[in-house]
Amino acid sequence: MELRLLVVWGLLWLDGWLVQAQTFSSSNSESSSFSWSGLNIPHNFLNLTGPKSNPISFSNPKNLYLMFDRPTEPLFVPKGKDSKIVFKLPTDYLPSRFQSAVSELINRWSGVKNAQELEVKPIKPPDISFPQSLGRQESFSPFIPHHRRMATHLTETLVGMRSFEDFFSMSVYCHDRINPYMYAYALSIAMINRKDTQNLPLPPLSEVFPDRFMDSAVYARCRREANVVGEGSRRPIVIPRDYTASDLEIEHRIAYFREDMGVNLMHWQWHLVYPNTGSIDLVNKNRRGELFFYFHHQVLARYNFERLSNKLGRVKRLLNWREPVEEGYFPKLDNVVSSRVWPQRHSGAFLRDVNRVLQRLKVDIQDMERWRDRLYEAIHSGAIINSRNEIVQLTEFEGIDILGNLLEASALSLNPNYYGDLHNFGHVLMGYCHDPDGRHLESFGVVADFATAMRDPIFYRWHAFVNGIFLEHKNLLPRYTVQRLGFDKVRVTGVEVIAKESERNTLFTFWQCSDVDTSRGIDFAPRGSVFVRFTHLQHLPFVTRILIENNGAPRLGTVRIFMAPKFDERGLSMLFEDQKDLFIEIDKFAVQLNSGRNIIRRSSEESSVTIPYQRSFRNLTGVGDKPEEASYTFCGCGWPQHMLIPKGQADGLPAEYFVMVSDGAQDKVDQPPSDNTCRPAHSYCGIQNRNYPDRRNMGYPFDRMPRVDASTLREFLTPNMGLIDVNIVHHEITLDHKGQPMDCT
Ligand code: CUO
């Protein structure tokens, strides 16, 4: 049986395309006509299915998932889980390489049994020669301005298609012409921003490009498993927890955080939701500059929490770009698009001026230093100069938003010529430090790709520097007075945290094994699911119970929950002005307070910070078909639930758990409810097509220096705040998702 399959499914290389040859029989091509913009133009189709196929609807938005199915393979190769969906493509949609080989394609690819035919509506496609100029096997990085311009051109073309049918047709047309990674990036942003597709969940990138997320050694094992065993008997390929380094590398202690699939997916998704270039509609999302600051600030706070738990000091800012960088990183990832390994960076590498002609990149360390100094100058003078040479104040509320767009820099930067492109070019400088002028024809390292950047320790050092600039501004703002923190006649009288079957105020972390299907992204023969199994951090779900006394009329409150480490790296209590930057947000939600005593119970699984576990690790094919699956849809943007709580210590990691109820009347943003059916993880991601649902500055009440008489967290408290000590205990065991012990080695 297997031998027959092996013969039928031979691997074939065609002009740089890896495609899989199937059983063949002859068929024919046929003609029809289409109407677009009043034109009637005859069209030939590549008909691979013959007369007995089942047609499927062209207008179903879920057809877009087929664009993400083994994205490096051309669309005339059957798609879908069982490889039964065959595109009936207009022959002029084929890349020129294949247009002269139609009869050969028919000979090779027709004859799929029980095929479902998807006839593509032909249109007259807009010009895409500019984004097409990036080779299909080149590496694409949204941090490189030239690449960004190409991706923006493509995204705007896709968003601009008038109907869903035209959009889908254009997506088909682009699929085999555009660099596959740039295509997935641009198509995803278009789907998020088009009204006819914005409620479709995006397939997790870990399934589409698994090469971004897992050890390259697993591919050969996946292919072997697929080759020798039928789908029903295939075993998951286990990725060991420690594969990128050994314990000799001290930074490896927190590789579980840096290399976590959910964390990296979150970063990719955040930047899809908040692209930094494109038309105003695409970029100008409510408070995006401030959210750029807040999301990355929270990532750093979480990273530092994990570092302290693992007896590492807080991450050091990458301040001097002319000194060697201590941290090396060897990612051990392959790049399926470029068929190359991702470059590594040895310990002690230097950043250098980048001058790469092919990428049209030229940036000197001196440029970066100038931009940095101008930003500090602006912060200390309390105003920036816009591109019309006008002074724009960095005000108490909006200043951080202006600064976020200036520093990132996004298309909303008020003066890109003067303040430059500091953060993005930082990623570029770090990403090319091994080959800054391209003499070795090497591509960039993982830090220059949204989906992989958080794996590398240098990411956190760079963002600690970036965050330091933001904090410089924040720390100069007026401090919150007791009155601005308080909530008249409302008191928090009790807080406790209860994890399932555990003692009060103790949280538990442990390891868990989860599986990801790689078949959407890797070319197996025969097809069918092949899972990889990896180990990640997990915690016991818990409930926060809050007692609130309301001595006034019934009214609206906002509950804000944060947690921070209690002690610093030397085991000493923290100064509050340091600790305030380490608070990780756990949850934020509105409550209707009755007069008198209120008891609030809130599950950790309802957190406004996180998306459900299932969203990170689930195969989304067919998602939404069943009601229980529908609740997992969209909301791809959110911190992964399994990483909500930092890893504890065997004898407990002391932490401080903070709860505040603020005045809902002052916090509330009046706007129509979201038309999306999902529960948004709005704390880090906002709400699709709506304003950020909290009028306070992000991070409130820890986003400013504390008032001068509050040098400890306890002194900072007002009556509407509560504080308890919690202990985070880590058990060195590995469980499956049902809570049963599991050997994951
Ligand atoms: Cu998210 Cu630097 O922005 O990576």
Side-chain angles (χ1 to χ4, degrees):
M1 172 70 177
E2 277 87 17
L3 184 61
R4 192 178 67 80
L5 285 171
L6 277 172
V7 171
V8 172
W9 289 82
L11 286 174
L12 173 73
W13 282 94
L14 269 181
D15 196 26
W17 299 90
L18 177 63
V19 294
Q20 289 165 315
Q22 288 195 340
T23 48
F24 23 94
S25 68
S26 65
S27 186
N28 51 10
S29 65
E30 61 183 47
S31 288
S32 79
S33 63
F34 78 101
S35 175
W36 190 84
S37 299
L39 298 173
N40 272 316
I41 298 172
H43 257 275
N44 290 322
F45 283 91
L46 178 67
N47 187 353
L48 299 171
T49 51
K52 286 194 182 157
S53 65
N54 311 308
I56 53 176
S57 165
F58 178 71
S59 312
N60 184 350
K62 286 187 179 174
N63 290 339
L64 281 167
Y65 290 141
L66 299 169
M67 301 298 110
F68 295 95
D69 189 10
R70 294 183 300 275
T72 57
E73 286 180 359
L75 273 183
F76 56 73
V77 180
K79 297 286 180 188
K81 189 168 186 306
D82 303 318
S83 299
K84 297 288 185 202
I85 298 178
V86 177
F87 278 85
K88 187 170 174 181
L89 298 165
T91 46
D92 54 0
Y93 273 37
L94 296 171
S96 51
R97 161 69 183 89
F98 297 120
Q99 284 191 13
S100 56
V102 167
S103 53
E104 191 186 340
L105 295 178
I106 290 171
N107 279 340
R108 285 190 188 281
W109 295 99
S110 62
V112 175
K113 282 196 187 130
N114 303 320
Q116 294 179 285
E117 184 183 80
L118 182 52
E119 182 172 328
V120 176
K121 172 194 167 188
I123 58 168
K124 188 177 169 203
D127 178 27
I128 51 163
S129 48
F130 176 46
Q132 241 181 307
S133 61
L134 183 69
R136 281 186 60 86
Q137 290 180 309
E138 285 180 51
S139 297
F140 164 75
S141 168
F143 288 114
I144 298 175
H146 182 53
H147 288 188
R148 268 204 308 269
R149 283 191 288 273
M150 287 193 273
T152 299
H153 180 112
L154 185 59
T155 307
E156 290 184 348
T157 303
L158 291 168
V159 170
M161 301 309 290
R162 285 176 304 185
S163 63
F164 173 76
E165 286 74 18
D166 290 356
F167 170 48
F168 184 67
S169 186
M170 191 62 197
S171 305
V172 169
Y173 180 77
C174 294
H175 184 277
D176 298 339
R177 289 178 161 72
I178 299 285
N179 176 286
Y181 196 53
M182 180 166 79
Y183 174 81
Y185 175 76
L187 180 61
S188 301
I189 296 175
M191 285 171 68
I192 290 170
N193 286 283
R194 284 186 66 95
K195 284 202 168 37
D196 46 14
T197 52
Q198 64 188 12
N199 288 338
L200 270 185
L202 291 174
L205 195 74
S206 49
E207 292 177 10
V208 183
F209 288 100
D211 54 313
R212 259 70 180 170
F213 300 91
M214 54 193 75
D215 178 7
S216 53
V218 303
Y219 301 140
R221 290 163 63 204
C222 285
R223 290 198 181 100
R224 193 165 60 230
E225 189 74 15
N227 256 328
V228 297
V229 192
E231 188 177 1
S233 312
R234 290 176 190 169
R235 290 204 186 143
I237 309 298
V238 175
I239 304 180
R241 207 168 79 208
D242 297 297
Y243 71 91
T244 50
S246 72
D247 289 342
L248 282 177
E249 170 55 62
I250 163 170
E251 292 293 328
H252 186 64
R253 285 186 205 164
I254 43 167
Y256 68 87
F257 178 93
R258 286 188 278 105
E259 292 165 4
D260 182 85
M261 194 178 291
V263 163
N264 281 281
L265 277 171
M266 158 63 176
H267 189 238
W268 160 262
Q269 191 85 20
W270 191 95
H271 283 279
L272 286 185
V273 175
Y274 293 99
N276 59 16
T277 47
S279 66
I280 283 296
D281 283 356
L282 288 182
V283 182
N284 195 10
K285 308 270 165 68
N286 180 241
R287 292 166 71 181
R288 80 164 305 287
E290 183 178 10
L291 199 50
F292 173 79
F293 148 69
Y294 185 59
F295 165 54
H296 292 88
H297 169 78
Q298 282 286 298
V299 165
L300 276 174
R302 290 180 168 277
Y303 185 63
N304 279 325
F305 210 146
E306 301 282 354
R307 291 182 73 86
L308 290 172
S309 169
N310 287 281
K311 303 204 181 315
L312 295 167
R314 275 166 274 184
V315 63
K316 293 194 190 87
R317 289 174 293 160
L318 193 65
L319 288 176
N320 187 336
W321 307 327
R322 296 171 193 276
E323 277 181 352
V325 179
E326 199 179 316
E327 297 83 357
Y329 188 63
F330 293 69
K332 298 176 182 56
L333 299 177
D334 274 351
N335 188 329
V336 162
V337 171
S338 68
S339 303
R340 294 253 172 93
V341 294
W342 284 84
Q344 56 220 15
R345 186 187 62 256
H346 61 82
S347 175
F350 281 86
L351 304 188
R352 286 179 287 173
D353 300 342
V354 171
N355 185 359
R356 297 187 52 122
V357 177
L358 270 183
Q359 287 76 28
R360 303 193 194 177
L361 256 182
K362 194 168 181 342
V363 59
D364 296 345
I365 291 177
Q366 238 183 44
D367 297 324
M368 307 275 289
E369 289 167 338
R370 211 176 301 119
W371 298 332
R372 175 200 61 198
D373 294 346
R374 288 172 182 170
L375 284 162
Y376 272 108
E377 171 76 28
I379 288 167
H380 293 143
S381 61
I384 65 148
I385 301 164
N386 71 13
S387 36
R388 292 193 298 272
N389 237 352
E390 298 158 342
I391 290 178
V392 179
Q393 298 297 327
L394 291 174
T395 57
E396 188 178 344
F397 186 81
E398 285 94 3
I400 185 68
D401 195 45
I402 293 173
L403 204 53
N405 286 317
L406 215 58
L407 206 172
E408 184 183 356
S410 79
L412 305 180
S413 168
L414 293 180
N415 197 345
N417 284 343
Y418 191 67
Y419 297 104
D421 197 358
L422 182 59
H423 153 266
N424 291 326
F425 272 131
H427 280 269
V428 169
L429 242 68
M430 296 183 295
Y432 279 127
C433 68
H434 54 280
D435 192 16
D437 55 10
R439 72 181 63 190
H440 298 292
L441 305 176
E442 280 292 309
S443 185
F444 47 79
V446 292
V447 74
D449 181 331
F450 292 142
T452 51
M454 289 182 70
R455 307 173 79 83
D456 188 336
I458 204 172
F459 169 91
Y460 303 89
R461 293 207 55 200
W462 178 248
H463 268 278
F465 156 73
V466 169
N467 204 46
I469 301 181
F470 287 129
L471 294 182
E472 188 79 8
H473 161 70
K474 280 281 183 180
N475 290 343
L476 290 174
L477 297 179
R479 304 170 185 221
Y480 292 122
T481 59
V482 170
Q483 195 202 1
R484 288 182 74 186
L485 294 170
F487 187 5
D488 191 32
K489 297 184 178 144
V490 172
R491 301 173 63 82
V492 171
T493 54
V495 177
E496 61 182 10
V497 172
I498 309 143
K500 211 170 152 194
E501 296 167 16
S502 313
E503 61 187 277
R504 274 172 6 130
N505 300 340
T506 304
L507 298 170
F508 290 96
T509 58
F510 53 92
W511 301 112
Q512 188 173 57
C513 269
S514 291
D515 295 347
V516 166
D517 186 0
T518 57
S519 56
R520 202 198 287 251
I522 303 181
D523 41 13
F524 305 119
R527 298 257 160 96
S529 295
V530 177
F531 287 90
V532 293
R533 176 165 290 169
F534 61 97
T535 308
H536 58 88
L537 190 65
Q538 185 56 287
H539 58 271
L540 274 188
F542 59 93
V543 169
T544 304
R545 194 162 163 269
I546 309 161
L547 295 181
I548 301 172
E549 292 280 337
N550 175 14
N551 296 319
R555 55 204 153 144
L556 198 63
T558 308
V559 176
R560 301 165 190 272
I561 307 179
F562 290 86
M563 184 166 68
K566 191 174 171 76
F567 301 112
D568 67 12
E569 37 279 90
R570 292 165 301 173
L572 303 175
S573 292
M574 283 202 196
L575 270 183
F576 181 52
E577 61 179 61
D578 290 339
Q579 192 188 26
K580 77 173 175 49
D581 298 330
L582 295 178
F583 275 94
I584 58 171
E585 186 171 335
I586 301 290
D587 205 348
K588 178 165 63 181
F589 53 95
V591 283
Q592 183 60 45
L593 296 172
N594 300 319
S595 296
R597 199 159 182 259
N598 296 265
I599 303 176
I600 314 286
R601 283 190 188 79
R602 177 82 168 181
S603 161
S604 56
E605 290 170 332
E606 298 172 272
S607 166
S608 63
V609 172
T610 61
I611 53 170
Y613 162 87
Q614 289 86 344
R615 183 65 182 87
S616 293
F617 297 120
R618 176 183 182 83
N619 184 337
L620 272 179
T621 311
V623 79
D625 290 344
K626 298 179 195 152
E628 66 270 23
E629 285 179 339
S631 63
Y632 304 139
T633 59
F634 169 66
C635 296
C637 188
W639 191 252
Q641 170 66 220
H642 66 273
M643 298 298 281
L644 178 63
I645 299 299
K647 178 167 163 273
Q649 292 175 345
D651 49 358
L653 173 70
E656 294 192 291
Y657 199 84
F658 169 92
V659 175
M660 172 184 194
V661 192
S662 58
D663 185 350
Q666 290 187 43
D667 306 333
K668 195 164 169 269
V669 174
D670 289 317
Q671 58 185 340
S674 168
D675 47 13
N676 205 310
T677 51
C678 71
R679 182 183 63 77
H682 54 75
S683 289
Y684 295 172
C685 291
I687 301 179
Q688 198 171 26
N689 299 325
R690 294 289 182 274
N691 290 339
Y692 191 80
D694 181 6
R695 278 223 305 266
R696 309 273 185 175
N697 270 126
M698 298 174 199
Y700 172 83
F702 298 119
D703 67 312
R704 311 272 177 95
M705 284 299 261
R707 57 190 190 275
V708 283
D709 59 348
S711 57
T712 66
L713 177 56
R714 294 237 162 244
E715 289 170 356
F716 178 73
L717 299 184
T718 50
N720 56 322
M721 299 176 187
L723 181 67
I724 54 169
D725 283 347
V726 293
N727 219 11
I728 311 174
V729 176
H730 180 72
H731 286 303
E732 197 58 37
I733 51 169
T734 307
L735 306 176
D736 67 12
H737 68 281
K738 290 181 185 145
Q740 298 302 311
M742 188 171 193
D743 182 6
C744 239
T745 52

